[in-house]
Amino acid sequence: MYKNILIPTDGSKFSARAVEHGVAIAKATGAGITGLFVAPAPTPLVFDGLRPVAYMQPEQHAELTERAAAKYLAAIASAAAGEGVAFEGVTVAGEFPAQAILEQARKRKCDLIVMASHGRRGLAGVLLGSETQKVLAASRVPVLVCR
């Protein structure tokens, strides 16, 4: 039924639920998993809320991104390995996570997206996070939203 399932993650507890569901579906259908971490675009300023509090060199941003991606994607890799499911991890940087998710789903020929109802930013909408809403509205493949 499914061949390649995209599971975007931000490392939140909500993403962890999506990983559980995505891995179970992959195992049941013989699909592989593409784990995706969309890192924030590099910026020289570090913010605390809306207030700039520090400056960050591009190398520092790259290092932070690499560490976060490794940690978050390792959780998916471990779950996939535990169930004998093929896994590929992908990290991209961008200002618009929903756009990056849709682009990677298309580029990697994913036929299902399994994602959290909302992530680290909390509830941006009444029921769904704003990035999830954008993916649902624009996706050409099925999207399973996990709460």
Side-chain angles (χ1 to χ4, degrees), residues 23-24 27 78-86:
V23 169
K27 182 177 180 182
S78 176
E83 296 297 332
V85 173

Side-chain angles (χ1 to χ4, degrees), residues 3 14 23 51 54 57-58 77 83-86 105 116 131 141 146:
K3 292 187 170 123
F14 303 105
V23 169
R51 188 181 59 161
Q57 295 289 334
E83 296 297 332
V85 173
E131 299 306 319
V141 299
C146 301

Side-chain angles (χ1 to χ4, degrees), residues 109-139:
K109 296 180 174 58
C110 296
D111 44 14
L112 175 65
I113 300 170
V114 179
M115 64 188 299
S117 57
H118 55 284
R120 291 193 177 277
R121 294 184 186 144
L123 289 170
V126 174
L127 296 174
L128 298 176
S130 61
E131 299 306 319
T132 304
Q133 289 176 345
K134 291 171 191 171
V135 170
L136 280 169
S139 181

Side-chain angles (χ1 to χ4, degrees), residues 2 6-8 14 21-22 28 36 38 70 79-81 85 92 107-108 113 119 121 127 140 146:
Y2 298 113
L6 181 68
I7 306 176
F14 303 105
H21 288 285
L36 175 64
V38 181
V85 173
V92 297
K107 180 178 180 181
R108 299 182 183 285
I113 300 170
R121 294 184 186 144
L127 296 174
R140 293 187 175 166
C146 301

Side-chain angles (χ1 to χ4, degrees), residues 6-96:
L6 181 68
I7 306 176
T9 184
D10 64 0
S12 68
K13 67 180 180 179
F14 303 105
S15 287
R17 287 194 182 144
V19 170
E20 290 176 29
H21 288 285
V23 169
I25 293 168
K27 182 177 180 182
T29 62
I33 291 174
T34 299
L36 175 64
F37 175 66
V38 181
T43 177
L45 295 175
V46 177
F47 288 87
D48 181 10
L50 296 175
R51 188 181 59 161
V53 294
Y55 178 82
M56 182 180 295
Q57 295 289 334
E59 300 81 21
Q60 291 173 297
H61 183 272
E63 183 181 318
L64 285 173
T65 296
E66 190 175 310
R67 278 191 303 207
K71 178 180 176 182
Y72 300 155
L73 292 174
I76 303 174
S78 176
E83 296 297 332
V85 173
F87 171 79
E88 175 187 17
V90 177
T91 302
V92 297
E95 300 228 7
F96 306 103

